[in-house]
Amino acid sequence: FDAIPGRRTNKEPYDGRAVPEAALAALRAAAPGVETTGEAARVVRLRDLGWRAHEVESYTPRTLKESLDVMRFGKAQINATPDGIDLGGAFLEALHLAGELTPEKLADTASTAFAQGMAMYRELFDTAAAWVWLSGPATREGELEAGRALMRVSLTAAAEGVDIHPFSQALQEYPEMDALYAEAHRELGVDPASGRRVHMLARLGYGPEVKASPRWPLETKIRGA
């Protein structure tokens, strides 16, 4: 409970420090179905798998558009619609105002903006120090329980001082991702034929301090009696 104010999704590059086994053990104990790895060869394999899945998502027009549709460019958009993928800060806002960072340019896989975005994401995968994943029944109840488990894992990570960043591209279900979906389940030791699936995969490590993500005011979501 005390970790709630400090819980963050840290989407910055990590600094290369290994995650101690004691912290990984705490994450595994946070909820049923949680597994971790800090083993070097496996960490590298999951970096590579995650990156290849990100490439599939990014070079498939309809799945790229899903991300572009929820991107918020600059302070004004973020404040007006504080959800989705926020692209803020002085540098990115300046690029947006100059017309160099727009949904149209990011949708063009031949553009400089797209190439720069891919390079930024590659660094995120390459600096993963460890991985955590959640598996459970492939049912609606299993999905809801996975959401609860992910919150427990995130809060435990905050309490342990470990940064966490979900990377679930390889777990998405559409034809272009089928081969990597199967590869991810083999790598993580979960057989979908058994009625179970991996619900979430996230990288772990240590990054710079980040601010809390924007949130809608409570009064926009909670109605009085």
Side-chain angles (χ1 to χ4, degrees):
F1 185 85
D2 292 340
I4 289 174
R7 183 183 67 81
R8 300 283 187 273
T9 298
N10 194 321
K11 303 171 186 175
E12 299 297 323
Y14 295 162
D15 63 13
R17 281 181 288 159
V19 180
E21 173 55 32
L24 296 178
L27 295 178
R28 293 193 297 271
V34 179
E35 298 290 341
T36 65
T37 186
E39 191 268 316
R42 199 175 193 191
V43 167
V44 170
R45 290 198 302 272
L46 287 169
R47 288 175 180 173
D48 177 66
L49 171 64
W51 173 249
R52 285 184 283 127
H54 180 72
E55 287 186 310
V56 170
E57 181 184 83
S58 299
Y59 284 100
T60 302
R62 71 181 185 285
T63 55
L64 174 60
K65 186 176 184 299
E66 288 179 358
S67 295
L68 294 176
D69 285 347
V70 295
M71 285 185 182
R72 316 301 180 210
F73 296 85
K75 187 175 181 179
Q77 286 189 20
I78 294 169
N79 288 342
T81 314
D83 54 29
I85 303 170
D86 58 284
L87 301 180
F91 178 67
L92 294 181
E93 183 144 11
L95 288 177
H96 177 63
L97 292 173
E100 297 299 321
L101 184 65
T102 65
E104 294 75 21
K105 290 200 172 184
L106 289 174
D108 178 5
T109 57
S111 71
T112 300
F114 180 87
Q116 290 174 336
M118 292 295 282
M120 290 172 59
Y121 262 87
R122 185 61 192 255
E123 189 176 9
L124 304 186
F125 285 99
D126 286 349
T127 58
W131 295 87
V132 59
W133 61 95
L134 319 174
S135 62
T139 61
R140 179 60 70 193
E141 291 81 3
E143 291 170 352
L144 291 171
E145 186 52 44
R148 298 186 183 102
L150 177 61
M151 187 56 62
R152 295 186 186 105
V153 167
S154 296
L155 290 169
T156 301
E160 294 289 327
V162 178
D163 288 317
I164 185 170
H165 181 189
F167 267 132
S168 60
Q169 291 93 332
L171 307 179
Q172 295 175 14
E173 298 172 275
Y174 55 94
E176 293 86 346
M177 195 65 75
D178 284 350
L180 292 179
Y181 179 92
E183 182 180 339
H185 280 74
R186 288 194 301 271
E187 176 64 41
L188 300 175
V190 177
D191 181 5
S194 70
R196 295 177 64 82
R197 66 158 295 171
V198 180
H199 288 287
M200 179 57 71
L201 174 66
R203 70 181 179 122
L204 302 169
Y206 298 94
E209 184 175 348
V210 294
K211 296 179 180 179
S213 295
R215 291 288 185 265
W216 286 98
L218 286 177
E219 58 269 20
T220 66
K221 302 298 177 184
I222 298 178
R223 218 169 30 191

